[in-house]
Amino acid sequence: MTYSLKAGGKRLRPILCIAACQAVHGPTENCLNAACAIEMIHTYSLIHDDLPALDNDSLRRGKPTCHTAFDESTGILAGDGLLTLAFELLASRKDQFYFNADRQLRVIYKIATACGYQGMIEGQMRDLASEKKPLTISELETMHSLKTGALIEASVFTGAVLGNGTPEQINALSDYAQHIGIAFQVVDDILNVTGDPEIMGKAVGSDEKLCKATYPSIVGIEKSHHIAKQRIQQAIDALGQFDNDADPLREIALYILHRNK
């Protein structure tokens, strides 16, 4: 569990959680436990995605994947352990600077939905079912909004709720998150075609090898870049009501568009 959790990575989801809390002027201490739990959930999903039964990848974040460094059984259990520990942390009151049972329950429900059969798991299942099958751009967007976008949206929602944001602020931040979630996946698809394996820390070309539907395979590289830029602009526009405390969210959106790994 520790090997995979500390293997590096962008920490995008916990950073989004903290940045959303700051955007609504909430104390960072309110969401640190939840931010760590979200990263545990994301890491569990990567461990399981890399398993031979799914993507069968041997490299992640520039290091051997969990099942490669140890063995397949350990990889399965490490992922299970991280997922369970995440909810232990989410439900805990230990060392919490701020506690409100209603907000904590809303966050647990949102995250559970995002990473369960109505979110990330459904997206992964759709991904498996779509191999070697043509998809429309709408079907692809739906798949990625579940597989990738749901946990990104839950990360932003969590920070906003634990920061005591207003309903209007939470809705606006959810719009922002939906747009960057799609943009993130579009860029991911592009990098799987054009990225540098040494910079990315993982192999490229795996989507084509597995005959997966991607934005470049459906609309081409140029149109994919256009979709990503459009989504990022929509995300930034969604932050119109926020002051400079939301600048980290604006910068994260631009980072997603221009990242190279």
Side-chain angles (χ1 to χ4, degrees):
M1 291 162 66
T2 302
Y3 171 82
S4 294
L5 197 60
K6 293 188 176 181
K10 295 175 283 294
R11 309 300 192 209
L12 176 66
R13 291 152 189 82
I15 291 171
L16 282 168
C17 178
I18 294 167
C21 184
Q22 293 173 340
V24 298
H25 305 136
T28 299
E29 293 89 345
N30 285 14
C31 66
L32 287 181
N33 275 3
C36 291
I38 288 167
E39 183 66 10
M40 290 176 186
I41 291 170
H42 175 59
T43 302
Y44 124 77
S45 74
L46 299 182
I47 292 173
H48 282 192
D49 275 355
D50 290 335
L51 289 169
L54 292 174
D55 290 348
N56 194 23
D57 284 324
S58 59
L59 200 64
R60 171 72 68 175
R61 294 170 171 171
K63 297 183 178 181
T65 51
C66 187
H67 75 273
T68 304
F70 301 94
D71 54 56
E72 189 174 349
S73 299
T74 301
I76 292 169
L77 293 175
D80 292 346
L82 282 170
L83 177 60
T84 308
L85 179 58
F87 282 97
E88 178 182 331
L89 190 57
L90 286 168
S92 172
R93 293 179 61 173
K94 183 180 180 182
D95 298 329
Q96 284 197 8
F97 173 80
Y98 172 84
F99 175 76
N100 177 286
D102 177 66
R103 290 182 193 129
Q104 189 172 10
L105 187 59
R106 287 174 66 195
V107 163
I108 292 171
Y109 180 82
K110 179 71 170 182
I111 293 174
T113 304
C115 68
Y117 82 98
Q118 299 178 81
M120 192 164 62
I121 299 301
E122 180 183 347
Q124 183 64 58
M125 194 66 233
R126 284 175 180 248
D127 192 22
L128 288 173
S130 69
E131 289 181 10
K132 300 180 181 179
K133 293 181 181 179
L135 291 183
T136 66
I137 197 71
S138 176
E139 290 170 331
L140 183 65
E141 184 174 304
T142 297
M143 180 180 76
H144 287 313
S145 68
L146 294 164
K147 183 182 176 184
T148 304
L151 190 58
I152 287 176
E153 184 184 350
S155 302
V156 174
F157 174 91
T158 294
V161 168
L162 294 181
N164 198 24
T166 66
E168 292 76 15
Q169 288 175 323
I170 293 169
N171 286 338
L173 288 170
S174 293
D175 287 343
Y176 161 87
Q178 288 170 12
H179 290 304
I180 65 167
I182 293 297
F184 184 91
Q185 188 59 54
V186 176
V187 174
D188 221 42
D189 285 355
I190 293 170
L191 289 174
N192 196 270
V193 177
T194 65
D196 184 335
E198 291 192 8
I199 294 175
M200 294 176 64
K202 60 182 180 180
V204 298
S206 57
D207 289 340
E208 184 178 6
K209 186 189 303 182
L210 293 171
C211 299
K212 288 190 175 185
T214 65
Y215 284 89
S217 71
I218 295 175
V219 299
I221 294 289
E222 185 176 348
K223 178 65 174 178
S224 296
H225 279 295
H226 174 75
I227 292 171
K229 289 178 183 177
Q230 185 179 48
R231 286 288 187 165
I232 291 302
Q233 187 57 55
Q234 289 172 313
I236 292 172
D237 291 345
L239 299 176
Q241 66 177 278
F242 295 92
D243 59 20
N244 292 343
D245 281 347
D247 281 349
L249 291 175
R250 297 181 178 99
E251 292 298 324
I252 291 168
L254 294 174
Y255 160 76
I256 287 171
L257 181 62
H258 298 297
R259 68 192 176 95
N260 59 6
K261 63 179 181 178

